[in-house]
Amino acid sequence: MSVRPLSSVLKTLAALDCIAAAPEPLRLVDIARQLGEARGAAHQRLVTLVEAGWIEQTPDGRYRLTLRIVGHAAMALEQSNLGVRFAGVLEEMVTESGETASLAVLDGKSAVIVRRVESRGVLRADLRIGTQLRLDRTAFGRVLVSFSRPEIVDRLRAQGVELPDDETITGVRKCGYAISEVEGPRTVSAVAAPIIDAQGECIGALALSGPFTGFDTDKCARIVVAAAAASAARLRGEQ
């Protein structure tokens, strides 16, 4: 007999996800709206998360994550060996390119940066560890979708997630990397390539990013593709 997940727990974790995705603490009314629940039900979930130590209330009554999650995030990286395996790779990418190097994984409906080594230059791409990136417009997102298993892509489409179009996916698969420009306070260019494990699965992606002005896309593409290939070879136990 199959065991069904507890719907109440899933809804409570959805509240945690809601808070984690916000750039600043959220009000109860905003959380309830995003969850599609009455304030009373949403409040009960928040009280549970506060009691468990995952979130806390600010003096003005809003909700935010506690720092407890930082330790769990670090341990997740250690358990997956991603932090240890790729720290040196990112350092080498920065040294060779002069740009900022990052590692991201597909997490839910976004690409999430899990490791980052900043460039030594004054101008940098201002993204933090834990930043969630769109799948349709960013180099990370385009690569992670393009090299994901078909069932993963189908699930994301069914959830209404905005994905790269078929032409973009075909192009990324053909050349082995993706590029993007993210509009913000400063225009940022990026190039990303997939890391393929011994089973042929895309477990993440490496990228170089920096301000548009002076960003050498061709050079960075060569560096990223080579670093991703070398990382994949190490995962397969090759020298």
Side-chain angles (χ1 to χ4, degrees):
M1 181 181 294
S2 62
V3 179
R4 295 182 179 180
L6 296 173
S7 60
S8 60
V9 175
L10 291 176
K11 290 179 180 178
T12 300
L13 292 175
L16 180 64
D17 286 340
C18 200
I19 295 170
E24 59 185 20
L26 293 178
R27 299 177 302 166
L28 169 59
V29 63
D30 298 321
I31 297 169
R33 184 184 302 113
Q34 291 189 42
L35 294 176
E37 291 190 325
R39 292 189 191 182
H43 184 244
Q44 187 175 32
R45 302 190 195 289
L46 296 174
V47 169
T48 300
L49 291 169
V50 169
E51 182 67 22
W54 289 104
I55 64 172
E56 62 188 4
Q57 270 191 291
T58 62
D60 63 356
R62 296 171 183 255
Y63 292 88
R64 67 186 179 192
L65 296 176
T66 65
L67 293 180
R68 176 181 182 182
I69 203 164
V70 175
H72 288 276
M75 189 54 64
L77 285 175
E78 292 303 316
Q79 290 181 5
S80 66
N81 282 330
L82 287 178
V84 173
R85 289 175 185 262
F86 296 105
V89 173
L90 296 174
E91 291 281 1
E92 292 173 4
M93 291 168 63
V94 171
T95 298
E96 191 173 355
S97 69
E99 304 292 356
T100 295
S102 305
L103 168 68
V105 297
L106 181 62
D107 183 21
K109 302 177 181 180
S110 307
V112 178
I113 296 176
V114 296
R115 193 85 178 193
R116 190 167 176 84
V117 176
E118 296 286 352
S119 70
R120 285 129 180 111
V122 176
L123 295 177
R124 300 174 180 175
D126 188 19
L127 295 173
R128 303 174 182 176
I129 291 177
T131 296
Q132 296 180 335
L133 302 172
R134 292 183 58 148
L135 298 180
D136 58 334
R137 297 183 180 178
T138 64
F140 266 138
R142 290 169 178 171
V143 159
L144 290 171
V145 170
S146 297
F147 289 91
S148 287
R149 298 194 308 274
E151 58 268 28
I152 293 177
V153 177
D154 290 342
R155 173 176 56 79
L156 290 170
R157 283 203 177 106
Q159 293 174 339
V161 180
E162 293 189 61
L163 302 178
D165 57 39
D166 291 339
E167 182 179 356
T168 298
I169 291 175
T170 299
V172 171
R173 288 175 177 168
K174 183 177 181 179
C175 67
Y177 63 89
I179 61 176
S180 67
E181 293 179 2
V182 179
E183 296 292 339
R186 293 174 296 182
T187 301
V188 174
S189 294
V191 57
I195 303 168
I196 308 298
D197 68 9
Q199 288 71 46
E201 300 284 341
C202 178
I203 64 167
L206 295 174
L208 286 169
S209 59
F212 175 79
T213 303
F215 188 84
D216 190 333
T217 302
D218 291 337
K219 176 183 176 181
C220 288
R222 290 193 297 270
I223 294 171
V224 171
V225 170
S231 299
R234 292 175 189 175
L235 291 174
R236 294 193 295 268
E238 303 171 7
Q239 295 297 324

